[in-house]
Amino acid sequence: MLKSKKYYAVLLVLLLLLVALPFMRSRKKFVTNTGVVWTTEYHITYEARDDLNDSIQLLLTMIDNSVSPYNTQSLVTAINEGKSDVVDRLFKALYTKALEVNKTSGGVYDPTVMPLVNALGFGYKSGQLPTKEQIDSILVFVGMEHTKLQGNKVVKDDPRVQFDFSSIAKGLACDEIAAMLARNGAENYMVEIGGEVVAHGVNERGETWRVSVDMPVPDDENGAVHTNAVVLNLDSMAVATSGSYRKFKEVDGKKVSHIVNPKTGASETSNLLSVSIVAPDCMSADAWATACMAMGLEKTQSMMEKNSKLGVMTISVDEEGNFVVWSNKLFADLINV
């Protein structure tokens, strides 16, 4: 009888362990995946039952194979070279968002500026400063109005039109990874790729995600210099920053920015050093940050002062070389104080 009781007791413990094991395995934990993509670092933290790094890598590879102009085998390279006109879901998403921001911004945001960027030496080709005649010859085929989507095909009215979605691709990647995390049951996560961020829920301490926005301080000989301008409390929102203080070239004693105005073909130089945008999605934040840099300080502040959908912070420099920080109400309300 005693042996029988011991047998049933052991059996009961084993049964309880078998029942509890799936629940023990399914407990969520915070995971962080880091790496380098498109020559920039990424940091992704999320609460999930499993490490989702393989899915993250798959998405980054898919995006690179679709819309990276620096990937000679990518879809966008084939379209730029006239070897294909068929687009995929990722190209469509970028094109649609770019067209929306292009129209709303009066055309100052335009991913077809690639030939101008290349002429200035910032693309995959290097070069000297182009002459006015060379710029005018390129402007003839720059502009989203030279393109349209027809079903799964992109139509160009001039074969020389080229797309460069670099100013919005990191935003797309953040959105795509965030959506994948949510599909896998993650309710709390922060996705950051090269300073573009999507945040949802809370961090491991149960607090709203806090995201730092840098002051526009140029890199030194040791690399990037990071000095906080503000810290934002972000939940279910994205933030992106564009600036002219790091990515520029010195040519014949002139500072040439990578921000190119598609209307004039000129590299933008102004007292506006950086623009940070908070938006519901990172593609929008990414595109609008670039658009505002091309618009300049006064037009940006005029357009965004009463904007209820986009939070905006500009950092400019006055005549004495002092930083001047401005933000609209939506952005200011998110600052951690």
Side-chain angles (χ1 to χ4, degrees), residues 210-225:
R210 294 178 181 176
V211 178
S212 172
V213 178
D214 283 354
M215 289 294 291
V217 180
D219 297 350
D220 63 20
E221 59 184 15
N222 297 315
V225 177

Side-chain angles (χ1 to χ4, degrees), residues 304-317:
M304 298 296 183
E305 184 174 11
K306 296 182 180 179
N307 195 304
S308 60
K309 294 182 179 180
L310 299 173
V312 185
M313 180 181 74
T314 64
I315 302 180
S316 56
V317 63

Side-chain angles (χ1 to χ4, degrees), residues 9 15 48 124 131 136 139 184 196 205 209 219 263 272 281 285:
L15 287 173
Y124 56 76
T131 64
D136 289 342
L139 283 172
N184 282 275
E196 326 297 43
R205 297 184 298 275
W209 294 100
D219 297 350
K263 297 295 185 181
L272 180 57
D281 64 277

Side-chain angles (χ1 to χ4, degrees), residues 187 189 198-201 208-209 234-238 278-281:
E187 297 178 353
Y189 53 81
V198 173
H200 190 277
T208 302
W209 294 100
L234 281 191
D235 179 13
S236 305
M237 302 188 86
V278 173
D281 64 277

Side-chain angles (χ1 to χ4, degrees), residues 39 78 124 172 269 279-280:
T39 70
Y124 56 76
L172 169 74
T269 55

